[in-house]
mmCIF file of all heavy atoms in Angstrom:
data_model
loop_
_atom_site.group_PDB
_atom_site.id
_atom_site.type_symbol
_atom_site.label_atom_id
_atom_site.label_comp_id
_atom_site.label_asym_id
_atom_site.label_seq_id
_atom_site.Cartn_x
_atom_site.Cartn_y
_atom_site.Cartn_z
ATOM 1 N N LEU A 9 12.904 14.504 -3.178
ATOM 2 C CA LEU A 9 12.235 14.476 -1.866
ATOM 3 C C LEU A 9 10.909 13.737 -1.929
ATOM 4 O O LEU A 9 10.567 12.965 -1.035
ATOM 5 C CB LEU A 9 12.028 15.899 -1.342
ATOM 6 C CG LEU A 9 13.284 16.632 -0.881
ATOM 7 C CD1 LEU A 9 12.959 18.090 -0.541
ATOM 8 C CD2 LEU A 9 13.914 15.938 0.315
ATOM 9 N N GLY A 10 10.143 13.967 -2.994
ATOM 10 C CA GLY A 10 8.857 13.277 -3.150
ATOM 11 C C GLY A 10 9.026 11.772 -3.278
ATOM 12 O O GLY A 10 8.313 10.991 -2.638
ATOM 13 N N SER A 12 11.634 9.949 -2.290
ATOM 14 C CA SER A 12 12.155 9.355 -1.055
ATOM 15 C C SER A 12 11.088 9.329 0.037
ATOM 16 O O SER A 12 11.054 8.406 0.853
ATOM 17 C CB SER A 12 13.429 10.065 -0.582
ATOM 18 O OG SER A 12 13.233 11.441 -0.432
ATOM 19 N N THR A 13 10.182 10.303 0.027
ATOM 20 C CA THR A 13 9.046 10.264 0.957
ATOM 21 C C THR A 13 8.168 9.057 0.652
ATOM 22 O O THR A 13 7.756 8.329 1.547
ATOM 23 C CB THR A 13 8.223 11.564 0.854
ATOM 24 O OG1 THR A 13 9.058 12.664 1.222
ATOM 25 C CG2 THR A 13 7.012 11.532 1.771
ATOM 26 N N ALA A 14 7.903 8.833 -0.637
ATOM 27 C CA ALA A 14 7.110 7.672 -1.051
ATOM 28 C C ALA A 14 7.792 6.372 -0.642
ATOM 29 O O ALA A 14 7.135 5.412 -0.230
ATOM 30 C CB ALA A 14 6.882 7.708 -2.560
ATOM 31 N N GLY A 16 9.483 5.876 1.959
ATOM 32 C CA GLY A 16 9.242 5.665 3.382
ATOM 33 C C GLY A 16 7.929 4.963 3.650
ATOM 34 O O GLY A 16 7.759 4.294 4.663
ATOM 35 N N LEU A 17 6.982 5.095 2.727
ATOM 36 C CA LEU A 17 5.690 4.408 2.843
ATOM 37 C C LEU A 17 5.758 3.000 2.269
ATOM 38 O O LEU A 17 5.202 2.057 2.814
ATOM 39 C CB LEU A 17 4.599 5.198 2.117
ATOM 40 C CG LEU A 17 4.249 6.562 2.684
ATOM 41 C CD1 LEU A 17 3.316 7.310 1.751
ATOM 42 C CD2 LEU A 17 3.619 6.402 4.070
ATOM 43 N N MET A 119 14.943 11.275 4.620
ATOM 44 C CA MET A 119 13.520 11.522 4.352
ATOM 45 C C MET A 119 12.723 10.226 4.445
ATOM 46 O O MET A 119 11.661 10.179 5.081
ATOM 47 C CB MET A 119 13.372 12.156 2.963
ATOM 48 C CG MET A 119 12.036 12.767 2.740
ATOM 49 S SD MET A 119 11.865 14.187 3.837
ATOM 50 C CE MET A 119 10.190 14.604 3.563
ATOM 51 N N ALA A 120 13.215 9.167 3.793
ATOM 52 C CA ALA A 120 12.505 7.888 3.824
ATOM 53 C C ALA A 120 12.444 7.331 5.243
ATOM 54 O O ALA A 120 11.416 6.791 5.657
ATOM 55 C CB ALA A 120 13.183 6.894 2.881
ATOM 56 N N LEU A 121 13.539 7.472 5.996
ATOM 57 C CA LEU A 121 13.559 6.969 7.371
ATOM 58 C C LEU A 121 12.559 7.717 8.242
ATOM 59 O O LEU A 121 11.842 7.112 9.048
ATOM 60 C CB LEU A 121 14.965 7.079 7.955
ATOM 61 C CG LEU A 121 15.133 6.553 9.384
ATOM 62 C CD1 LEU A 121 14.794 5.068 9.469
ATOM 63 C CD2 LEU A 121 16.555 6.798 9.878
ATOM 64 N N ALA A 122 12.469 9.036 8.087
ATOM 65 C CA ALA A 122 11.513 9.824 8.878
ATOM 66 C C ALA A 122 10.081 9.374 8.603
ATOM 67 O O ALA A 122 9.286 9.182 9.534
ATOM 68 C CB ALA A 122 11.678 11.313 8.569
ATOM 69 N N VAL A 123 9.758 9.178 7.342
ATOM 70 C CA VAL A 123 8.393 8.737 6.982
ATOM 71 C C VAL A 123 8.161 7.317 7.476
ATOM 72 O O VAL A 123 7.088 6.993 7.998
ATOM 73 C CB VAL A 123 8.171 8.847 5.458
ATOM 74 C CG1 VAL A 123 6.829 8.251 5.059
ATOM 75 C CG2 VAL A 123 8.255 10.308 5.024
ATOM 76 N N HIS A 124 9.164 6.463 7.322
ATOM 77 C CA HIS A 124 9.041 5.085 7.801
ATOM 78 C C HIS A 124 8.783 5.048 9.311
ATOM 79 O O HIS A 124 7.928 4.293 9.782
ATOM 80 C CB HIS A 124 10.313 4.304 7.460
ATOM 81 C CG HIS A 124 10.400 2.980 8.149
ATOM 82 N ND1 HIS A 124 9.611 1.908 7.786
ATOM 83 C CD2 HIS A 124 11.157 2.561 9.200
ATOM 84 C CE1 HIS A 124 9.883 0.878 8.587
ATOM 85 N NE2 HIS A 124 10.825 1.265 9.449
ATOM 86 N N LEU A 126 7.404 7.343 11.134
ATOM 87 C CA LEU A 126 6.027 7.803 11.347
ATOM 88 C C LEU A 126 5.049 6.658 11.092
ATOM 89 O O LEU A 126 4.136 6.419 11.880
ATOM 90 C CB LEU A 126 5.715 8.992 10.431
ATOM 91 C CG LEU A 126 4.266 9.464 10.412
ATOM 92 C CD1 LEU A 126 3.862 10.003 11.783
ATOM 93 C CD2 LEU A 126 4.075 10.541 9.351
ATOM 94 N N LYS A 127 5.261 5.949 10.016
ATOM 95 C CA LYS A 127 4.388 4.818 9.657
ATOM 96 C C LYS A 127 4.438 3.735 10.727
ATOM 97 O O LYS A 127 3.404 3.219 11.144
ATOM 98 C CB LYS A 127 4.828 4.265 8.303
ATOM 99 C CG LYS A 127 4.146 2.982 7.864
ATOM 100 C CD LYS A 127 4.724 2.520 6.536
ATOM 101 C CE LYS A 127 4.530 1.061 6.256
ATOM 102 N NZ LYS A 127 3.212 0.633 5.985
ATOM 103 N N GLU A 150 -1.556 3.799 2.360
ATOM 104 C CA GLU A 150 -0.115 4.039 2.247
ATOM 105 C C GLU A 150 0.398 3.685 0.845
ATOM 106 O O GLU A 150 1.180 4.430 0.256
ATOM 107 C CB GLU A 150 0.637 3.217 3.297
ATOM 108 C CG GLU A 150 0.404 3.700 4.710
ATOM 109 C CD GLU A 150 0.701 2.655 5.770
ATOM 110 O OE1 GLU A 150 1.134 1.539 5.424
ATOM 111 O OE2 GLU A 150 0.494 2.963 6.957
ATOM 112 N N LEU A 157 2.277 9.853 -4.814
ATOM 113 C CA LEU A 157 3.389 10.768 -4.550
ATOM 114 C C LEU A 157 4.540 10.536 -5.524
ATOM 115 O O LEU A 157 5.194 11.491 -5.957
ATOM 116 C CB LEU A 157 3.856 10.618 -3.106
ATOM 117 C CG LEU A 157 4.857 11.639 -2.584
ATOM 118 C CD1 LEU A 157 4.372 13.075 -2.818
ATOM 119 C CD2 LEU A 157 5.123 11.419 -1.109
ATOM 120 N N VAL A 168 4.744 18.419 -4.522
ATOM 121 C CA VAL A 168 5.431 17.713 -3.432
ATOM 122 C C VAL A 168 5.428 18.578 -2.177
ATOM 123 O O VAL A 168 5.313 18.066 -1.054
ATOM 124 C CB VAL A 168 6.868 17.317 -3.851
ATOM 125 C CG1 VAL A 168 7.678 16.833 -2.663
ATOM 126 C CG2 VAL A 168 6.823 16.252 -4.940
ATOM 127 N N ILE A 169 5.505 19.892 -2.345
ATOM 128 C CA ILE A 169 5.464 20.806 -1.195
ATOM 129 C C ILE A 169 4.167 20.609 -0.414
ATOM 130 O O ILE A 169 4.171 20.506 0.817
ATOM 131 C CB ILE A 169 5.609 22.277 -1.647
ATOM 132 C CG1 ILE A 169 6.984 22.493 -2.286
ATOM 133 C CG2 ILE A 169 5.399 23.241 -0.498
ATOM 134 C CD1 ILE A 169 7.140 23.814 -3.011
ATOM 135 N N VAL A 170 3.051 20.519 -1.125
ATOM 136 C CA VAL A 170 1.743 20.298 -0.481
ATOM 137 C C VAL A 170 1.751 18.956 0.244
ATOM 138 O O VAL A 170 1.299 18.847 1.389
ATOM 139 C CB VAL A 170 0.611 20.350 -1.530
ATOM 140 C CG1 VAL A 170 -0.729 19.987 -0.911
ATOM 141 C CG2 VAL A 170 0.544 21.713 -2.186
ATOM 142 N N ALA A 171 2.277 17.921 -0.427
ATOM 143 C CA ALA A 171 2.324 16.594 0.186
ATOM 144 C C ALA A 171 3.163 16.601 1.463
ATOM 145 O O ALA A 171 2.788 15.979 2.460
ATOM 146 C CB ALA A 171 2.869 15.572 -0.805
ATOM 147 N N LEU A 172 4.278 17.312 1.450
ATOM 148 C CA LEU A 172 5.135 17.367 2.634
ATOM 149 C C LEU A 172 4.451 18.113 3.783
ATOM 150 O O LEU A 172 4.594 17.731 4.949
ATOM 151 C CB LEU A 172 6.481 18.005 2.295
ATOM 152 C CG LEU A 172 7.364 17.191 1.336
ATOM 153 C CD1 LEU A 172 8.635 17.967 1.001
ATOM 154 C CD2 LEU A 172 7.696 15.828 1.906
ATOM 155 N N ILE A 173 3.691 19.153 3.453
ATOM 156 C CA ILE A 173 2.928 19.865 4.490
ATOM 157 C C ILE A 173 1.878 18.948 5.099
ATOM 158 O O ILE A 173 1.719 18.863 6.322
ATOM 159 C CB ILE A 173 2.290 21.154 3.918
ATOM 160 C CG1 ILE A 173 3.385 22.176 3.600
ATOM 161 C CG2 ILE A 173 1.260 21.732 4.881
ATOM 162 C CD1 ILE A 173 2.913 23.365 2.794
ATOM 163 N N LEU A 174 1.162 18.213 4.240
ATOM 164 C CA LEU A 174 0.147 17.272 4.733
ATOM 165 C C LEU A 174 0.779 16.186 5.595
ATOM 166 O O LEU A 174 0.230 15.796 6.624
ATOM 167 C CB LEU A 174 -0.617 16.638 3.563
ATOM 168 C CG LEU A 174 -1.547 17.567 2.796
ATOM 169 C CD1 LEU A 174 -2.118 16.861 1.568
ATOM 170 C CD2 LEU A 174 -2.678 18.065 3.691
ATOM 171 N N LEU A 175 1.953 15.731 5.195
ATOM 172 C CA LEU A 175 2.661 14.716 5.969
ATOM 173 C C LEU A 175 3.069 15.263 7.335
ATOM 174 O O LEU A 175 2.988 14.559 8.344
ATOM 175 C CB LEU A 175 3.883 14.223 5.198
ATOM 176 C CG LEU A 175 4.575 13.001 5.772
ATOM 177 C CD1 LEU A 175 3.644 11.798 5.762
ATOM 178 C CD2 LEU A 175 5.838 12.697 5.000
ATOM 179 N N ALA A 176 3.498 16.510 7.378
ATOM 180 C CA ALA A 176 3.864 17.134 8.659
ATOM 181 C C ALA A 176 2.658 17.225 9.583
ATOM 182 O O ALA A 176 2.758 16.956 10.792
ATOM 183 C CB ALA A 176 4.466 18.516 8.418
ATOM 184 N N VAL A 177 1.492 17.579 9.031
ATOM 185 C CA VAL A 177 0.256 17.639 9.825
ATOM 186 C C VAL A 177 -0.102 16.250 10.338
ATOM 187 O O VAL A 177 -0.461 16.070 11.510
ATOM 188 C CB VAL A 177 -0.903 18.243 8.995
ATOM 189 C CG1 VAL A 177 -2.232 18.088 9.701
ATOM 190 C CG2 VAL A 177 -0.620 19.706 8.689
ATOM 191 N N LEU A 178 0.023 15.250 9.473
ATOM 192 C CA LEU A 178 -0.261 13.870 9.874
ATOM 193 C C LEU A 178 0.690 13.421 10.976
ATOM 194 O O LEU A 178 0.280 12.777 11.946
ATOM 195 C CB LEU A 178 -0.163 12.936 8.662
ATOM 196 C CG LEU A 178 -0.394 11.455 8.950
ATOM 197 C CD1 LEU A 178 -1.819 11.219 9.434
ATOM 198 C CD2 LEU A 178 -0.102 10.618 7.722
ATOM 199 N N ALA A 179 1.958 13.772 10.852
ATOM 200 C CA ALA A 179 2.945 13.410 11.879
ATOM 201 C C ALA A 179 2.571 14.034 13.225
ATOM 202 O O ALA A 179 2.619 13.361 14.266
ATOM 203 C CB ALA A 179 4.336 13.868 11.450
ATOM 204 N N TRP A 180 2.179 15.297 13.198
ATOM 205 C CA TRP A 180 1.761 15.980 14.425
ATOM 206 C C TRP A 180 0.562 15.261 15.050
ATOM 207 O O TRP A 180 0.522 15.021 16.253
ATOM 208 C CB TRP A 180 1.426 17.430 14.083
ATOM 209 C CG TRP A 180 0.811 18.192 15.201
ATOM 210 C CD1 TRP A 180 1.437 18.733 16.280
ATOM 211 C CD2 TRP A 180 -0.581 18.489 15.362
ATOM 212 N NE1 TRP A 180 0.525 19.361 17.093
ATOM 213 C CE2 TRP A 180 -0.726 19.222 16.549
ATOM 214 C CE3 TRP A 180 -1.719 18.215 14.608
ATOM 215 C CZ2 TRP A 180 -1.951 19.663 17.009
ATOM 216 C CZ3 TRP A 180 -2.952 18.672 15.061
ATOM 217 C CH2 TRP A 180 -3.052 19.386 16.249
ATOM 218 N N TRP A 181 -0.420 14.877 14.217
ATOM 219 C CA TRP A 181 -1.618 14.192 14.705
ATOM 220 C C TRP A 181 -1.264 12.838 15.314
ATOM 221 O O TRP A 181 -1.755 12.477 16.380
ATOM 222 C CB TRP A 181 -2.619 14.031 13.555
ATOM 223 C CG TRP A 181 -3.878 13.340 13.960
ATOM 224 C CD1 TRP A 181 -4.951 13.876 14.595
ATOM 225 C CD2 TRP A 181 -4.182 11.953 13.780
ATOM 226 N NE1 TRP A 181 -5.908 12.924 14.808
ATOM 227 C CE2 TRP A 181 -5.457 11.722 14.319
ATOM 228 C CE3 TRP A 181 -3.500 10.893 13.195
ATOM 229 C CZ2 TRP A 181 -6.061 10.482 14.298
ATOM 230 C CZ3 TRP A 181 -4.106 9.652 13.185
ATOM 231 C CH2 TRP A 181 -5.365 9.456 13.730
ATOM 232 N N VAL A 182 -0.402 12.060 14.633
ATOM 233 C CA VAL A 182 -0.024 10.734 15.126
ATOM 234 C C VAL A 182 0.716 10.863 16.453
ATOM 235 O O VAL A 182 0.443 10.115 17.393
ATOM 236 C CB VAL A 182 0.847 9.979 14.085
ATOM 237 C CG1 VAL A 182 1.527 8.766 14.705
ATOM 238 C CG2 VAL A 182 -0.007 9.563 12.899
ATOM 239 N N ILE A 183 1.631 11.794 16.547
ATOM 240 C CA ILE A 183 2.386 11.976 17.786
ATOM 241 C C ILE A 183 1.456 12.334 18.935
ATOM 242 O O ILE A 183 1.566 11.795 20.045
ATOM 243 C CB ILE A 183 3.500 13.031 17.603
ATOM 244 C CG1 ILE A 183 4.586 12.465 16.676
ATOM 245 C CG2 ILE A 183 4.089 13.457 18.932
ATOM 246 C CD1 ILE A 183 5.562 13.496 16.147
#
Side-chain angles (χ1 to χ4, degrees):
L9 288 173
S12 55
T13 298
L17 294 171
M119 195 67 187
L121 181 61
V123 174
H124 168 73
L126 172 64
K127 173 182 158 70
E150 291 159 2
L157 189 52
V168 169
I169 296 168
V170 174
L172 293 176
I173 291 169
L174 290 173
L175 190 63
V177 170
L178 178 64
W180 172 78
W181 180 81
V182 166
I183 291 166

